[in-house]
Amino acid sequence: MFVPLHDGSTALIRPIAPEDAAALRRFHWTLSEDTIRNRFMSAKPNLTSGDTRYLCRVDGVDHVAVVAVDPQRPEAILGVARWVRYPDAPHRAEAAFVVTDRMQGTGVGSALAIALADLALERGITELTGSMLADNLGSENLFRRMAGGDVAVKRMGITNDVTAVLPQRPGRLAAMAARRRMRPGVRTETHRRRHAWRHAVAA
């Protein structure tokens, strides 16, 4: 599905495929150390062949993943989101997100989160959980988007465990795309400040 972004561009949200392995490795190389740390909760400068095999070869039932790509450059991944169902609790799944730094604040993460929620409901999942570093407010907010409001947060020192109970409203990604077409947004102030700081450092 094509989803408008807050900077005036558009992202294509689609299921990940085995053929995305090389693109996923290139995407990982674009991520800053902080973004990698927020996604994996540790340093991970490269994805191994085993990593990409696991991340791209999903079954679409118990392991679901979607990517956001640039429609003008479909080989360029902008973000990835996935969930994996708990074997002992089939109504629950663990979710994770990552968006390339230059696109953070443009609405890519929200689109991926809502796409995950839609796919979860279609497959009988009613709760999505995640473990994240305590200062990773971006991911916590994505769980709030999936829940349509408050989430349960268990604070455990340097990490938080978050649970989002999904609203029984299918088709939320299509509704989001329609709203954005009617009311184009802008990049968040956080993204503007980050982009300005990096530009100043690069100069």
Side-chain angles (χ1 to χ4, degrees):
M1 179 178 296
F2 292 97
V3 179
L5 302 178
H6 300 326
D7 64 353
S9 64
T10 299
L12 171 63
I13 310 295
R14 63 163 175 80
I16 204 166
E19 296 75 23
D20 289 320
L24 188 64
R25 283 193 293 270
R26 290 194 300 270
F27 165 76
H28 189 81
W29 294 333
T30 71
L31 304 178
S32 68
E33 291 181 4
D34 283 347
T35 295
I36 291 173
R37 172 177 167 271
N38 280 335
R39 169 59 180 89
F40 294 99
M41 295 195 288
S42 65
K44 193 173 184 64
N46 296 293
L47 295 178
T48 67
S49 58
D51 291 333
T52 55
R53 192 161 46 246
Y54 171 77
L55 295 172
C56 292
R57 295 181 181 274
V58 302
D59 63 16
V61 177
D62 295 322
H63 184 181
V64 167
V66 291
V67 293
V69 301
D70 182 347
Q72 305 303 315
R73 296 175 58 232
E75 75 284 359
I77 293 176
L78 307 177
V80 187
R82 73 183 61 246
W83 53 252
V84 179
R85 195 190 304 261
Y86 289 100
D88 58 345
H91 68 290
R92 306 178 80 225
E94 183 175 13
F97 317 89
V98 61
V99 174
T100 191
D101 292 66
R102 69 180 180 85
M103 297 302 293
Q104 291 173 14
T106 63
V108 171
S110 295
L112 289 169
I114 297 303
L116 275 194
D118 281 350
L119 293 168
L121 287 176
E122 291 173 7
R123 289 155 177 77
I125 289 171
T126 58
E127 295 182 12
L128 290 175
T129 73
S131 294
M132 63 197 69
L133 296 172
D135 61 356
N136 187 359
L137 299 180
S139 285
E140 187 174 316
N141 285 334
L142 291 181
F143 276 85
R144 295 185 192 282
R145 292 301 305 271
M146 291 192 299
D150 291 337
V151 295
V153 181
K154 184 177 181 180
R155 307 199 183 276
M156 306 172 67
I158 64 171
T159 63
N160 292 339
D161 287 345
V162 180
T163 299
V165 177
L166 302 180
Q168 297 297 308
R169 298 200 305 271
R172 292 168 65 199
L173 183 63
M176 170 186 280
R179 285 196 305 273
R180 288 185 180 178
R181 282 191 289 268
M182 295 294 293
R183 300 193 304 273
V186 295
R187 287 176 183 252
T188 66
E189 186 61 31
T190 299
H191 185 279
R192 287 198 203 92
R193 288 197 299 268
R194 184 186 298 120
H195 180 75
W197 179 83
R198 286 183 180 151
H199 180 75
V201 170

